[in-house]
Amino acid sequence: MTSTQNKFDYIIVGAGSAGCVLAARLSEDPNISVCLLEAGGPDKSIFIHAPIGLAAMLPTRLHNWAFKTIPQVGLNGRKGYQPRGKTLGGSSSTNAMLYVRGNKWDYDNWAALGNEGWSYKDILPYFKKSEGNAAFNDDYHNNTGPLAVSNATDASDINQMFIDACVQQGIKQTDDCNGAEQEGAFYYQRTIKNGQRCSAAKAYLTPNSTRKNLTIITHALTEKVLFEGKTAVGVRYQKNKKSIDITCNKEVILSSGAFGSPQILMLSGVGASEHLTEKGITPIHQLPGVGQNLQDHIDYIQTFKIDTKHDTFGYSVRGSLRILKSMFEWREKRTGKVTSTFAESGAFFSTQENLVAPDAQLIFVPAIADNHARTMNFGHGYSCHITLLRPESIGEVKLNSSNPKDSLAIDPKFFNHEQDMVILKKAAKKMQNILEASPFSAIRKEMLYLVENGNDEQLEKDIRNRADTQYHPCGTCKMGPITDDMAVVDAQLRVHGLEKLRVVDASIMPKIISGNTNAPTIMIGEKAADMILQN
Ligand SMILES: Cc1cc2nc3c(=O)[nH]c(=O)nc-3n(C[C@H](O)[C@H](O)[C@H](O)COP(=O)(O)OP(=O)(O)OC[C@H]3O[C@@H](n4cnc5c(N)ncnc54)[C@H](O)[C@@H]3O)c2cc1C
């Protein structure tokens, strides 16, 4: 994956959820040449394609940037963990594969903030265009798009206990949280095809990688965008310790994610001039919103231990034998426990009446889930994540230095807004009631980290000791009208005040959505490709 060509119509920086979609859609026309640059390597590893391989990538540097935040006051001074995919497919190659779109209200709100063309009615066709759903084909779903979506085939029996417990606690059962109504308890649909992960790379790049007009360059770390005056004319990237310049006839498109895209803009001299000067970078364009408006889903997990005989994942002789057997099954038939993403069932619910959309999400895991799988616990258990869907705390990313290899200073400012703790505690109490409800009575043993049910002080202490991201940073190159001083791109995703430069990825979300962010970012890629081609 190298190239001697040095001029293309479009240069796309970052082969993640959005970048892969753009590369495939723009290169559908053989007369358009596209170069896709990716800092990570090819996506050949078995850990990417076998869904259960997530457990190997999440806690390690395997295809993972594995960033850390700066110490978080709201987390008792702890540094948060920020895994991000570093390979073709980006985070869609390392994520938990849950297919979730958020709520209709999220997109109507983006439009209400001054972003024409982004209401739910406007974006639904792009969700459908991307989707190849094996279970649904109706007003909300499509079964012919490239991104494979399917139901779990081998979910553990204890998920049914979770769903029964949710129903007992007043959450109705639903089979589609991405259809007419989001609220309810359900089995997650996943981006999996024939028992293998369907990343954005697998869906959009692999089938088109032999196109002559599509050049994919891996292990290429983009240093900066090259400008002539206020017009982007190309990029400089590093490969094999060399700096290489390539130029474009049409546009440079940054799709490097919520951390990569603002970092490249700032390294290129686009951002808050004072901050850039402080880091020794000559400002080219004053745009104070670059790196601001960081939003992320704060997430807290509770775990109960159970006996090893139950059908769950865990470190035990029985658990290891089960996995070993499943590996053979997966090798032969692509079925069995290896197709699990660990996150199997869940729910969306509201912590109070009359909210615009559910504000809490549950993700049930038939295993002991502790510290992003970085803390090993022997034995078996069941765990559940509770996620605050529309946090008010807003953070930022800044440069540590002008070196493109240096990571950013990531500051999500978790719990900076006091309301976030109030709502998360309320939602966590409901989760604990569910996990302690009678459907689990026959199997439930002690809690991994004890919180007495109803003890507010213990709960808050445990949240501050152990809560962290649910891996959805976004908003750092926010979309908004020119009248919004902190907007970085307009509704066509063009960088304000500059020519031939767009940002297309999760960083453009003006407000975090009420759900997981992979399908929405792929939708953003589909819509952007359409807008670019129409221009
Ligand atoms: C562990 C984990 C679990 C998750 N689980 C889910 C889930 O179950 N469901 C869900 O919907 N969402 C999930 N997400 C979130 C979702 O995957 C992301 O929101 C989405 O993939 C973001 O897409 P993106 O295009 O903005 O960025 P990414 O997909 O992260 O792509 C950015 C790409 O740019 C590359 N890059 C960065 N800097 C440079 C540079 N300087 N030069 C060249 N290339 C560069 C990166 O290597 C990467 O490949 C999860 C994320 C993680 C990390």
Side-chain angles (χ1 to χ4, degrees):
M1 291 193 187
T2 49
S3 168
T4 48
Q5 189 179 340
N6 60 13
K7 189 157 198 168
F8 302 87
D9 290 327
Y10 293 97
I11 299 171
I12 301 164
V13 181
S17 300
C20 291
V21 181
L22 280 171
R25 292 298 185 197
L26 296 181
S27 64
E28 272 172 7
D29 179 345
N31 297 314
I32 292 178
S33 62
V34 175
C35 179
L36 177 64
L37 297 171
E38 168 54 43
D43 59 338
K44 291 192 184 133
S45 158
I46 184 82
F47 296 113
I48 295 176
H49 300 295
I52 207 177
L54 160 70
M57 297 186 289
L58 176 62
T60 64
R61 297 191 68 86
L62 201 58
H63 313 297
N64 182 359
W65 292 87
F67 296 124
K68 286 199 180 85
T69 71
I70 65 169
Q72 296 294 290
V73 178
L75 303 182
N76 286 340
R78 282 183 296 128
K79 289 183 179 177
Y81 182 49
Q82 287 283 347
R84 298 277 94 200
K86 188 180 185 185
T87 176
L88 293 181
S91 301
S92 75
S93 286
T94 61
N95 71 13
M97 293 157 268
L98 304 184
Y99 183 75
V100 175
R101 295 175 177 178
N103 193 275
K104 290 173 190 175
W105 178 87
D106 296 317
Y107 304 101
D108 288 340
N109 186 44
W110 288 8
L113 292 169
N115 300 300
E116 205 188 324
W118 290 89
S119 72
Y120 183 69
K121 173 177 68 58
D122 295 315
I123 54 93
L124 181 58
Y126 295 104
F127 273 121
K128 289 174 74 174
K129 185 176 184 185
S130 64
E131 180 188 26
N133 200 315
F136 301 120
N137 183 25
D138 55 28
D139 288 351
Y140 297 94
H141 297 283
N142 172 31
N143 58 6
T144 57
L147 182 69
V149 177
S150 60
N151 289 340
T153 48
D154 292 277
S156 160
D157 295 344
I158 81 165
N159 288 284
Q160 196 53 50
M161 296 179 192
F162 167 77
I163 289 181
D164 292 345
C166 285
V167 171
Q168 209 180 76
Q169 295 297 316
I171 304 175
K172 64 175 187 266
Q173 189 168 352
T174 174
D175 58 356
D176 182 13
C177 66
N178 298 309
E181 213 189 326
Q182 186 186 17
E183 200 140 353
F186 47 81
Y187 284 87
Y188 281 102
Q189 283 209 293
R190 301 100 38 88
T191 45
I192 290 184
K193 187 176 187 178
N194 299 334
Q196 296 185 74
R197 175 191 292 272
C198 183
S199 66
K202 197 75 190 281
Y204 288 89
L205 285 189
T206 309
N208 303 312
S209 58
T210 53
R211 283 181 188 163
K212 292 207 164 41
N213 58 332
L214 173 61
T215 303
I216 302 169
I217 308 179
T218 52
H219 298 297
L221 179 81
T222 295
E223 293 179 18
K224 51 153 60 175
V225 179
L226 304 172
F227 287 99
E228 274 174 13
K230 296 260 176 180
T231 303
V233 293
V235 305
R236 176 167 300 162
Y237 69 90
Q238 296 178 15
K239 186 171 166 92
N240 300 331
K241 297 190 178 148
K242 273 194 222 141
S243 268
I244 301 165
D245 289 357
I246 53 174
T247 56
C248 63
N249 299 315
K250 292 185 187 291
E251 290 188 16
V252 172
I253 305 166
L254 300 182
S255 296
S256 301
F259 301 140
S261 290
Q263 181 172 26
I264 295 169
L265 281 177
M266 290 190 276
L267 291 172
S268 315
V270 180
S273 301
E274 207 178 315
H275 173 55
L276 301 183
T277 312
E278 195 188 302
K279 297 295 170 196
I281 295 165
T282 309
I284 285 183
H285 184 61
Q286 161 74 351
L287 211 48
V290 176
Q292 298 300 301
N293 191 47
L294 171 63
Q295 294 163 64
D296 197 359
H297 284 141
I298 185 76
D299 181 277
Y300 164 67
I301 302 176
Q302 286 185 338
T303 299
F304 286 85
K305 293 191 178 169
I306 58 173
D307 203 90
T308 58
K309 68 173 184 267
H310 299 293
D311 173 26
T312 51
F313 297 100
Y315 294 105
S316 67
V317 175
R318 211 183 232 147
S320 308
L321 288 174
R322 247 184 242 142
I323 289 294
L324 200 64
K325 207 172 123 220
S326 321
M327 283 175 173
F328 288 108
E329 181 182 340
W330 189 77
R331 214 179 59 178
E332 295 297 312
K333 300 192 278 187
R334 294 289 189 258
T335 56
K337 291 291 163 198
V338 171
T339 66
S340 174
T341 70
F342 297 100
E344 297 186 343
S345 53
F348 287 103
F349 69 92
S350 299
T351 58
Q352 54 178 300
E353 281 179 13
N354 300 325
L355 291 178
V356 290
D359 58 349
Q361 178 182 14
L362 294 172
I363 299 177
F364 183 75
V365 181
I368 295 177
D370 191 9
N371 185 20
H372 312 274
R374 295 182 302 176
T375 303
M376 211 191 217
N377 292 277
F378 287 98
H380 289 228
Y382 62 88
S383 307
C384 197
H385 296 250
I386 180 77
T387 306
L388 183 61
L389 290 174
R390 287 186 303 284
E392 297 284 341
S393 305
I394 307 266
E396 62 178 15
V397 295
K398 286 189 154 184
L399 292 175
N400 274 319
S401 79
S402 60
N403 181 351
K405 287 187 170 165
D406 237 7
S407 62
L408 290 168
I410 300 170
D411 185 6
K413 300 194 197 301
F414 286 132
F415 298 121
N416 210 26
H417 195 293
E418 59 187 33
Q419 204 48 24
D420 288 354
M421 180 57 86
V422 174
I423 301 173
L424 187 62
K425 276 197 294 190
K426 201 168 172 189
K429 283 176 193 162
K430 179 139 182 152
M431 169 172 78
Q432 188 161 355
N433 288 340
I434 291 168
L435 300 180
E436 292 185 0
S438 61
F440 290 109
S441 297
I443 65 166
R444 189 177 53 249
K445 292 184 168 178
E446 75 275 16
M447 257 180 132
L448 184 63
Y449 295 95
L450 178 67
V451 173
E452 287 160 21
N453 196 332
N455 187 326
D456 199 76
E457 209 176 304
Q458 277 184 14
L459 178 62
E460 179 160 339
K461 195 169 161 208
D462 197 40
I463 290 177
R464 291 199 191 277
N465 280 341
R466 299 192 305 105
D468 203 352
T469 176
Q470 207 212 63
Y471 319 122
H472 301 152
C474 62
T476 47
C477 297
K478 147 182 175 177
M479 167 171 68
I482 189 81
T483 46
D484 177 348
D485 290 345
M486 299 311 277
V488 175
V489 297
D490 67 12
Q492 297 272 317
L493 309 187
R494 296 171 298 211
V495 177
H496 282 300
L498 296 171
E499 298 293 323
K500 294 188 172 184
L501 181 62
R502 285 185 216 241
V503 181
V504 179
D505 55 30
S507 72
I508 67 95
M509 296 185 184
K511 283 276 176 198
I512 194 162
I513 55 129
S514 314
N516 311 58
T517 42
N518 184 44
T521 308
I522 288 172
M523 173 279 287
I524 290 168
E526 288 279 13
K527 182 166 165 61
D530 232 22
M531 293 190 299
I532 292 166
L533 291 172
Q534 276 168 23
N535 279 351

